[in-house]
Amino acid sequence: MVELFILMIERLGLIVMLAFIATRLRFFRNMVSSYQLTTKQKYIAILFFSIFGIIGTYSGVTFHSEALELNRFVTSLSEEEAIANFRVIGIVLAGLFGGYKVGIGAGVIAGVHRMLLGGFTGIACGVATIVAGILAAAYAKRNPSASTQPKHIFFLGAIAETVQMGLILLVARPTDQAIALVQTIGVPMILANGFGCVLFLLIIKTVEKGEQHIRAVQTQKSLRIAQKTLTFLKEGLHSRSAQEVCSILFKELNVAGVAITDQRRILAHIGLASDHHKADLPIQTQITWEVIKRKEMVIANDKSIHCNKQDCPLGAAVIAPLLIRNEVMGTLKFYFHSEKEITELEKEMLAGLTSLLSSQLELAAAEKSYQLAKEAEINALQAQISPHFLFNTLNTVISLIRMDPNKARKLLHALSQFLRQNVSATTTTVLHSVEDELKHIQSYLSIEETRFEGRFHISYQIDSKCLETSIPPLTLQPIVENAIKHAFKNQDMHCQLEISIKEKEQDVVLSVTDNGIGFDSEEMNWLGQKVSPSKTGTGIGLYNINKRLQMKFGDDSGLQIHSKVGKGTSISFKIPKNIQEESLT
């Protein structure tokens, strides 16, 4: 019994080999991790585990029931011989991972093979093999987590082998030989097959955990690289951003060199052979042109990595395209001392990293397009503001030319100042000061006061500390214009207008208050939020201002409108006090 147990333990090395082979097979890894197998996976699993069972049979130790001798190898069995083997391990694992169909299928194939092999226990062992598949499948169904619990696997393998010993005693004849066989091989086989099932499972899980750990480390590294490179790739692909990204990649990755190119030249190169690839030289390797053309990652050896002007001893490289909207904007090159250093895991990680950097470049391009579109929209909104006022003023000038040329001349001068400021405001993309906005307002109001002498009373409540605060052009002036045109539409005298600019905590609050006709509740529902027809106008001026303020400073800076019919209106907004003059984008 001891000798047999030692022989069985020695042959567990075969189980180790089969387990390692199984971990290399994609279908087996998918099967182990799948909740439910497809029909194709089931057929492959039946084939795999039945072969496993047959190999377990042939690797067994023959036992001669009369001579009570053990032989190390088996090719065929006589009527007096039986075999101590590992067949049960493959069948138990089949039922455990594949369920009833796989367990029974593998059990039938391996069991029939055992019957055909002969020996006085052939039928008993063959039937026991099928029962082992059914038993394992039933246990897995009742305990879905059984495949992750080594103790359960040991007892399952041991019980399956115990059932086989019981069938040998019940079916095999002559009975005395069956009893002698079970007494000799029973305990060693029960223990060896139990340990074999556990060993197979542990090897699979260990390899799986190792791969998962490697992938987790690579994922963590990729995310760390993405976080570090994002700041620079936001600027787009150029020499400075490429140099910074290459520096980060070279420090983080186990590579000999890193280079980034655009479609025409090498933008940056750090590490191996960087002396050959200067960023200011308009050269590319021949293989790079193939990558740009095919839009696919290429593994290049030392014979294919050569420059147009000179040979460059670089060893080997992984060259991958940087894509923006499926168009190649450049390439990312990872250099190695030898092609042997480029493992499958390296290829997978570098491909994923290149895809990640491409996504960052695409986001940067999308952000730039958005900013350009927003700038164009702002300019269009600003350009819509000025025509409201121009035609009425020109008509007034025409009427004054004969009646009061002096006043007409002053009005034209004020108009020219106003138009100059207005044109400047609609063609610039930068903020200007509150003081400049006030000058614009004063030019406008001087024209209105000339046109409607004695009609308006204008008051200013200006905090001098706010005059240098930056503000988008044409924000306050159109609100004043709106009050003149609409608030005082049916009011000939006593039109009071107050312009207030004051500090409030971290903001500057700007407001225009009038004592005009006001707005009713229906108009207040859409005023400043959309363009909509009403009795007094479309509201496009206030809508444009509100939209521009929200686009620049956020929703909190939108227009705040308070109005009562017959009492007047107050329109205010706030901007950050310390904002610096910058682009509207």
Side-chain angles (χ1 to χ4, degrees), residues 377 381 478-479 482 486 519-534 536-551 554-555 557-563 569-573:
E377 182 179 3
L381 292 175
I479 298 175
N482 190 76
H486 300 293
F519 298 100
D520 59 32
S521 57
E522 183 179 347
E523 289 176 309
M524 288 291 294
N525 289 333
W526 56 263
L527 199 60
Q529 303 301 318
K530 62 181 180 179
V531 177
S532 179
S534 72
T536 57
T538 64
I540 188 172
L542 294 180
Y543 169 77
N544 288 348
I545 297 165
N546 191 51
K547 179 118 176 156
R548 291 169 58 212
L549 287 169
Q550 290 178 333
M551 288 172 69
D555 292 344
S557 290
L559 295 181
Q560 301 295 317
I561 304 174
H562 303 281
S563 184
T569 302
S570 176
I571 300 177
S572 63
F573 61 91

Side-chain angles (χ1 to χ4, degrees), residues 309-360:
K309 293 187 176 182
Q310 57 183 320
D311 290 336
C312 303
L314 301 176
V318 177
I319 306 177
L322 292 170
L323 302 172
I324 298 179
R325 299 186 188 92
N326 204 35
E327 292 296 325
V328 180
M329 294 294 105
T331 63
L332 183 57
K333 304 180 181 182
F334 303 96
Y335 293 106
F336 298 84
H337 292 289
S338 168
E339 195 169 353
K340 294 179 181 178
E341 297 178 7
I342 309 175
T343 65
E344 288 300 320
L345 284 174
E346 290 286 345
K347 293 177 189 176
E348 187 177 339
M349 188 191 75
L350 297 178
L353 188 58
T354 303
S355 177
L356 192 61
L357 296 180
S358 294
S359 297
Q360 289 183 341

Side-chain angles (χ1 to χ4, degrees), residues 185 223 225-226 340 505 568:
I185 71 172
L223 292 174
I225 290 172
K340 294 179 181 178
E505 297 178 352

Side-chain angles (χ1 to χ4, degrees), residues 22 38 63 92 120 129 177 283 354 492:
T38 63
F63 175 79
V92 167
F120 73 96
T129 302
Q177 292 183 7
I283 58 173
T354 303
D492 294 332

Side-chain angles (χ1 to χ4, degrees), residues 216-515:
V217 170
Q218 289 183 337
T219 300
Q220 186 178 21
K221 183 182 290 186
S222 297
L223 292 174
R224 185 169 64 248
I225 290 172
Q227 185 178 16
K228 289 182 177 180
T229 57
L230 181 59
T231 302
F232 303 105
L233 291 181
K234 277 183 177 180
E235 304 172 6
L237 191 62
H238 50 71
S239 296
R240 194 180 75 83
S241 62
Q243 186 69 27
E244 295 290 348
V245 171
C246 280
S247 178
I248 292 169
L249 294 175
F250 186 69
K251 291 177 182 177
E252 291 284 348
L253 301 176
N254 184 28
V255 294
V258 182
I260 293 179
T261 79
D262 59 15
Q263 292 180 327
R264 299 180 299 104
R265 65 191 185 102
I266 296 165
L267 298 175
H269 189 159
I270 294 178
L272 183 66
S274 58
D275 291 340
H276 293 274
H277 289 172
K278 299 297 183 182
D280 58 346
L281 293 178
I283 58 173
Q284 289 279 33
T285 60
Q286 292 289 352
I287 195 69
T288 301
W289 300 119
E290 290 298 319
V291 173
I292 292 174
K293 181 179 178 181
R294 291 161 51 185
K295 302 181 182 179
E296 295 177 356
M297 188 173 78
V298 171
I299 310 299
N301 56 35
D302 56 354
K303 294 181 180 179
S304 60
I305 310 174
H306 62 275
C307 303
N308 292 338
K309 293 187 176 182
Q310 57 183 320
D311 290 336
C312 303
L314 301 176
V318 177
I319 306 177
L322 292 170
L323 302 172
I324 298 179
R325 299 186 188 92
N326 204 35
E327 292 296 325
V328 180
M329 294 294 105
T331 63
L332 183 57
K333 304 180 181 182
F334 303 96
Y335 293 106
F336 298 84
H337 292 289
S338 168
E339 195 169 353
K340 294 179 181 178
E341 297 178 7
I342 309 175
T343 65
E344 288 300 320
L345 284 174
E346 290 286 345
K347 293 177 189 176
E348 187 177 339
M349 188 191 75
L350 297 178
L353 188 58
T354 303
S355 177
L356 192 61
L357 296 180
S358 294
S359 297
Q360 289 183 341
L361 286 172
E362 189 161 344
L363 287 173
E367 177 66 17
K368 185 176 181 181
S369 298
Y370 170 74
Q371 296 293 352
L372 290 174
K374 189 169 74 171
E375 180 181 331
E377 182 179 3
I378 287 174
N379 289 338
L381 292 175
Q382 290 179 174
Q384 291 175 351
I385 296 173
S386 55
H388 293 290
F389 166 72
L390 178 60
F391 300 114
N392 289 334
T393 304
L394 289 176
N395 288 332
T396 303
V397 171
I398 292 171
S399 65
L400 286 174
I401 286 175
R402 290 186 179 179
M403 297 169 52
D404 195 338
N406 230 8
K407 187 179 287 188
R409 185 167 56 251
K410 290 180 181 179
L411 187 57
L412 279 174
H413 179 72
L415 178 61
S416 69
Q417 293 294 324
F418 174 80
L419 290 177
R420 184 179 294 109
Q421 291 168 324
N422 203 65
V423 169
S424 175
T426 57
T427 56
T428 185
T429 60
V430 298
L431 305 176
H432 71 179
S433 67
V434 168
E435 186 175 11
D436 290 334
E437 186 77 3
L438 279 173
K439 288 179 181 178
H440 199 190
I441 292 171
Q442 288 165 351
S443 295
Y444 169 76
L445 289 176
S446 67
I447 295 172
E448 291 297 279
E449 286 176 322
T450 301
R451 290 177 58 207
F452 305 102
E453 190 172 1
R455 183 182 179 187
F456 302 109
H457 175 71
I458 313 295
S459 64
Y460 297 89
Q461 302 292 328
I462 309 297
D463 189 335
S464 60
K465 293 186 293 185
C466 301
L467 291 177
E468 295 304 317
T469 301
S470 298
I471 185 174
L474 295 177
T475 47
L476 196 59
Q477 184 275 329
I479 298 175
V480 173
E481 181 179 345
N482 190 76
I484 298 295
K485 286 184 60 177
H486 300 293
F488 302 139
K489 184 175 182 180
N490 300 318
Q491 194 168 329
D492 294 332
M493 299 295 291
H494 308 297
C495 300
Q496 296 181 4
L497 186 70
E498 180 183 286
I499 299 169
S500 172
I501 303 174
K502 295 183 179 180
E503 281 188 347
K504 185 178 181 181
E505 297 178 352
Q506 297 301 314
D507 299 316
V508 174
V509 179
L510 303 92
S511 64
V512 176
T513 304
D514 65 66
N515 65 341

